[in-house]
Amino acid sequence: MSKVKACVFASGTGSNFQAIIESENLNCEIVLLVCDKPGARVIEIAEKYSIPTFVFHPKDYTSKAVYEKILVEKLKSAGVTWVFLAGYMRLIGPELLDTYEGKIVNIHPSLLPDFPGKDAIGQAFQAGVDKTGVTIHFVDAGMDTGPVIAQESVEVLENDTIHTVTARIQKIEHTLYPKVINQLINESEATLCAKEL
Ligand code: GAR
């Protein structure tokens, strides 16, 4: 049986994208990378692994609705059923949310609802918290809102720097995201099978 097809959206370095595609026993096939930052390093990773990319510049379109309509077409024609945001630094609009209801997932480097938005690790560090972490959640129209699927905490130690905390958070991200992806797809396939019985 062929695997469920999924797409990753990313804007930057792509360490999570890389961790997902390199993960052993991933139960979906990443058939497309969508990137809103021409020149981002994540594109090189996709090319290295021969994963098709759709790279666009939002400013080239008159509105989010216009480019998201195009994204929906691309995703549908690639047979995508799940969308995983991995450092995609844009809000998702109604075109995508309505088409992929309950199938868009995001990873964020804090214990949401604390420190949403950009530079969550820097925000937590500045706030002097002794614990931060990683959240994986379903995406809704808000900024890093939406129902939480999984969270893992990371202690902030006295001699930590932003770099050491970032490294610890990323290490967790890289194992937690593939694990959660597998769980979500297993659960949704099991529900589908039960409905067919
Ligand atoms: C990750 O830490 C991810 O959690 C964060 O961007 C980074 C992307 O790194 N996402 C957000 O802040 C979403 N609000 P990567 O490009 O190396 O995967």
Side-chain angles (χ1 to χ4, degrees):
M1 217 171 77
S2 66
K3 283 183 177 179
V4 164
K5 293 185 169 70
C7 171
V8 173
F9 281 32
S11 308
T13 312
S15 69
N16 279 284
F17 172 66
Q18 184 162 355
I20 292 166
I21 57 180
E22 286 181 354
S23 147
E24 279 174 25
N25 308 321
L26 195 72
N27 60 5
C28 61
E29 185 189 354
I30 305 300
V31 293
L32 184 67
L33 168 77
V34 167
C35 179
D36 62 334
K37 287 263 166 62
R41 184 181 162 262
V42 68
I43 301 163
E44 289 168 33
I45 301 171
E47 283 165 358
K48 185 176 153 204
Y49 284 88
S50 306
I51 293 175
T53 57
F54 179 68
V55 182
F56 71 105
H57 203 304
K59 287 203 173 117
D60 294 342
Y61 300 86
T62 48
S63 68
K64 189 189 285 275
V66 171
Y67 72 71
E68 283 202 348
K69 258 195 191 110
I70 296 167
L71 292 181
V72 166
E73 278 166 27
K74 299 265 174 210
L75 297 184
K76 280 188 172 170
S77 69
V80 166
T81 49
W82 284 88
V83 175
F84 299 114
L85 311 186
Y88 182 70
M89 305 308 271
R90 262 172 215 286
L91 291 178
I92 301 295
E95 303 293 334
L96 277 163
L97 285 175
D98 293 348
T99 313
Y100 284 93
E101 202 187 341
K103 300 278 184 180
I104 309 181
V105 175
N106 182 41
I107 187 161
H108 184 76
S110 77
L111 294 175
L112 289 171
D114 292 344
F115 313 117
K118 286 190 180 147
D119 191 23
I121 304 173
Q123 290 183 56
F125 205 73
Q126 284 294 315
V129 293
D130 55 16
K131 195 176 81 174
T132 182
V134 175
T135 302
I136 296 177
H137 64 97
F138 288 109
V139 172
D140 64 11
M143 166 99 73
D144 301 315
T145 51
V148 170
I149 302 164
Q151 279 187 318
E152 207 167 309
S153 54
V154 171
E155 253 185 283
V156 182
L157 308 169
E158 220 164 291
N159 57 354
D160 259 330
T161 64
I162 185 117
H163 302 292
T164 55
V165 179
T166 301
R168 230 178 291 131
I169 284 187
Q170 283 184 340
K171 197 167 172 221
I172 288 176
E173 289 193 327
H174 298 164
T175 53
L176 190 62
Y177 212 0
K179 193 170 116 192
V180 168
I181 289 172
N182 279 348
Q183 273 169 5
L184 285 169
I185 291 174
N186 279 343
E187 282 163 18
S188 111
E189 293 293 284
T191 312
L192 273 179
C193 284
K195 275 188 189 152
E196 279 164 15
L197 287 177

